[in-house]
Amino acid sequence: MIDTPLQRGRRSELVNALIKKGITDKDVLKAIFLIPRHFFIHPDFQDFAYRDEAFPIDENQTISQPYTVAFQTQLLKIKKNDNVLEVGTGSGYQTSILVFLKANVYTFERIHKLYRKSKSLLNKLKLNPKEITWSDGYDLKYNKEFFDKILVTAACQEVPTHFLELLKVGGEILLPLGIENQKMTLIKRESKNKFLKKEYGNFSFVPFLKNKC
Ligand code: SAH
């Protein structure tokens, strides 16, 4: 794994492009500048690693567009020591950004091959999450009210209520909601039984699916 001055230069251009699109969080921009996205990209798409685009990874899944990663991370205002649940590890790129921000990251992925690959890459980069699990998200064993933030990186047809129970009061879940196109939806747990929902534009994600494989 080599990171060249050319690749760093391209990352700097990517950061400028993200600033133009409205990303302002300095720590998020720093993470995007420092973390080599090309390590997470399929060899066929190496040359395009610093385009602001999603690309195919193995198993018909995608690595999210850098703007989407930056937008989701900025919106959640990730802080040091936040307990963050990431749903859908995929390539591990979003995970690496959350770990860089010093959150306690718990991430899970339903596809074994992606789980194995991401675990090994994050370990090589010394950007290890607290937990990386092969699971489908329907049998998570965390205590209720454990997480400050939940970041879903696969499209949900409806809000998975079992995730809401895992949020602390004051915590927030961000998820793409919808079937063909998704509305980025932020839900804040205002009190034990009160949830406040806000929408932030259209995005396109691979679907959230049942069962691990
Ligand atoms: N943040 C990732 C995006 C990966 S795409 C990245 O930047 O690479 C979304 C991922 O969610 C896919 O890898 C998919 O397999 C996974 N996924 C879909 N449904 C899931 C479920 N029920 N449980 C766990 N992972 C799931």
Side-chain angles (χ1 to χ4, degrees), residues 2-18 21 31-41 45-55 63-67 93 97 125:
I2 305 167
D3 191 25
T4 65
L6 176 66
Q7 282 152 330
R8 282 197 288 280
R10 287 186 178 158
R11 279 208 293 286
S12 168
E13 285 168 14
L14 173 62
V15 164
N16 288 334
L18 295 179
K21 290 180 183 176
I32 299 221
F33 177 64
L34 290 176
I35 298 173
R37 185 178 188 242
H38 61 280
F39 293 170
F40 297 83
I41 292 260
F45 299 97
Q46 276 295 310
D47 285 352
F48 311 126
Y50 296 107
R51 287 193 188 173
D52 189 17
E53 287 175 32
F55 288 104
I63 175 167
S64 300
Q65 183 184 345
Y67 174 72
Y93 180 63
I97 305 266
L125 295 175

Side-chain angles (χ1 to χ4, degrees), residues 52-213:
D52 189 17
E53 287 175 32
F55 288 104
I57 52 174
D58 292 327
E59 308 290 318
N60 277 330
Q61 302 303 315
T62 53
I63 175 167
S64 300
Q65 183 184 345
Y67 174 72
T68 306
V69 171
F71 185 81
Q72 286 194 288
T73 314
Q74 172 170 288
L75 204 54
L76 273 177
K77 299 186 285 296
I78 304 292
K79 291 196 302 285
K80 187 176 173 183
N81 292 330
D82 271 353
N83 286 347
V84 179
L85 179 66
E86 183 196 25
V87 178
T89 316
S91 68
Y93 180 63
Q94 169 78 72
T95 318
S96 73
I97 305 266
L98 298 170
V99 173
F100 182 89
L101 297 174
K102 301 193 165 54
N104 304 320
V105 183
Y106 299 76
T107 183
F108 65 92
E109 170 57 55
R110 65 182 278 276
I111 301 176
H112 192 261
K113 182 169 177 189
L114 297 180
Y115 149 78
R116 229 181 339 100
K117 241 179 140 170
S118 297
K119 186 175 178 175
S120 141
L121 176 57
L122 291 165
N123 190 37
K124 275 192 202 130
L125 295 175
K126 299 197 169 53
L127 288 168
N128 289 301
K130 274 242 157 175
E131 272 180 34
I132 179 162
T133 322
W134 176 42
S135 164
D136 84 340
Y138 288 88
D139 59 354
L140 293 178
K141 292 181 179 56
Y142 299 109
N143 291 334
K144 287 185 180 171
E145 304 190 26
F146 181 70
F147 290 102
D148 297 282
K149 315 275 163 64
I150 300 179
L151 174 52
V152 184
T153 72
C156 300
Q157 293 191 22
E158 52 198 29
V159 181
T161 45
H162 61 297
F163 289 150
L164 296 179
E165 291 176 355
L166 298 178
L167 273 182
K168 290 181 186 171
V169 169
E172 292 172 302
I173 176 168
L174 182 60
L175 73 164
L177 206 54
I179 299 170
E180 282 193 2
N181 270 300
Q182 295 86 43
K183 285 249 179 298
M184 190 61 81
T185 308
L186 184 72
I187 301 172
K188 180 165 186 181
R189 187 169 202 176
E190 292 276 303
S191 62
K192 192 120 183 146
N193 296 311
K194 189 175 163 208
F195 293 87
L196 207 73
K197 189 166 158 180
K198 275 193 198 166
E199 285 177 351
Y200 293 87
N202 291 317
F203 288 81
S204 178
F205 282 82
V206 295
F208 181 69
L209 299 170
K210 283 203 171 190
N211 302 323
K212 55 185 189 175
C213 57

